[in-house]
């Protein structure tokens, strides 16, 4: 399985730290990954992860879409990246998983609604964020997987492994639901 990640966040706040730890944790589990990000310092931090290819930094979803190679599945990490995920699934049949952080329901914009309803799964870091989308009638499985934000050094490795394994289960379920043979995973 090769997983593509797209993150078009401009800053490297707590979500950026979670993103780096997630990619590193998935790498430790043997997942081959291709990453496209907007933030240059984030790209440099990801380049040292084993089994991870970092594409050029981009500013737009269409550029991320164009530069994403053929992968098994894409994980879009913010709403702007969701547009690239939607394009990938509509034009190249690459399924995508979306992360949604907001604790309010998505706005009524038809493109935003399409981004979430065409995802094969949604990942939310909190129960409140999950509740905000479950009542929207999107028909998409929603998983609550906490963000990696542990400051306790003694527990950090264990938490990273647990969160990465939870993401990997979501990815596998998403691919299984698309009818992709398990032999290709």
């Amino acid at each position: 399985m090769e997983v593509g990640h797209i993150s078009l966040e401009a800053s490297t706040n707590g979500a950026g730290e979670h993103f780096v730890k997630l990619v590193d944790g998935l790498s430790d589990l043997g997942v081959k990954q291709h990453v496209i990000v907007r933030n240059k310092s984030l790209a440099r931090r990801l380049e040292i992860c084993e089994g991870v290819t970092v594409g050029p930094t981009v500013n737009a979803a269409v550029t991320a879409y164009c530069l994403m190679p053929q992968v098994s599945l894409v994980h879009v990490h913010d709403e702007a990246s969701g547009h690239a995920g939607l394009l990938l699934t509509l034009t190249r049949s690459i399924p995508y998983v979306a992360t949604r952080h907001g604790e309010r329901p998505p706005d009524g914009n038809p493109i935003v609604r399409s981004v979430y309803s065409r995802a094969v799964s949604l990942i939310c870091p909190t129960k409140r964020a999950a509740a905000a989308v479950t009542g929207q009638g999107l028909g998409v499985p929603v998983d609550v997987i906490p963000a990696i934000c542990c400051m306790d050094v003694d527990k950090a490795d264990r938490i990273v492994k647990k969160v990465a394994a939870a993401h990997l289960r979501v990815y596998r379920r998403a691919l299984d639901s698309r009818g992709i043979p398990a032999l290709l995973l």
Side-chain angles (χ1 to χ4, degrees):
M1 168 188 331
E2 184 172 7
V3 176
H5 295 276
I6 302 173
S7 175
L8 297 178
E9 290 287 327
S11 66
T12 56
N13 53 17
E17 191 63 31
H18 165 81
F19 183 69
V20 170
K21 289 180 179 179
L22 172 63
V23 170
D24 194 36
L26 289 167
S27 177
D28 289 346
L29 293 173
V31 177
K32 188 176 175 187
Q33 300 168 85
H34 186 87
V35 179
I36 296 177
V37 296
R38 179 178 183 172
N39 185 287
K40 291 179 184 189
S41 65
L42 186 60
R44 284 190 297 273
R45 289 180 64 195
L46 292 164
E47 287 175 343
I48 64 171
C49 296
E50 190 173 322
V52 177
T53 305
V54 179
T57 56
V58 301
N59 291 325
V62 172
T63 310
Y65 156 77
C66 291
L67 295 175
M68 181 59 69
Q70 191 66 30
V71 293
S72 307
L73 174 94
V74 171
H75 185 165
V76 296
H77 292 268
D78 52 74
E79 197 167 293
S81 303
H83 297 183
L86 182 60
L87 286 169
L88 286 163
T89 203
L90 291 174
T91 62
R92 293 171 37 196
S93 299
I94 298 175
Y96 67 97
V97 170
T99 292
R100 181 154 198 295
H101 300 279
E103 294 186 353
R104 293 194 325 219
D107 66 28
N109 180 317
I111 300 295
V112 171
R113 190 161 177 78
S114 187
V115 164
Y116 292 123
S117 66
R118 290 188 184 254
V120 290
S121 188
L122 295 176
I123 295 174
C124 298
T126 65
K127 289 181 182 180
R128 288 181 68 164
V133 291
T134 54
Q136 298 297 304
L138 299 174
V140 175
V142 178
D143 292 276
V144 176
I145 303 175
I148 304 167
C149 58
C150 179
M151 294 300 185
D152 186 348
V153 176
D154 295 332
K155 296 180 183 178
D157 284 343
R158 190 169 60 238
I159 290 170
V160 169
K161 288 178 184 176
K162 184 178 177 181
V163 170
H167 277 78
L168 188 54
R169 281 191 296 278
V170 170
Y171 300 161
R172 287 186 173 143
R173 184 187 69 216
L175 290 173
D176 287 347
S177 72
R178 302 276 299 187
I180 296 171
L183 294 173
L184 296 178
L185 303 177

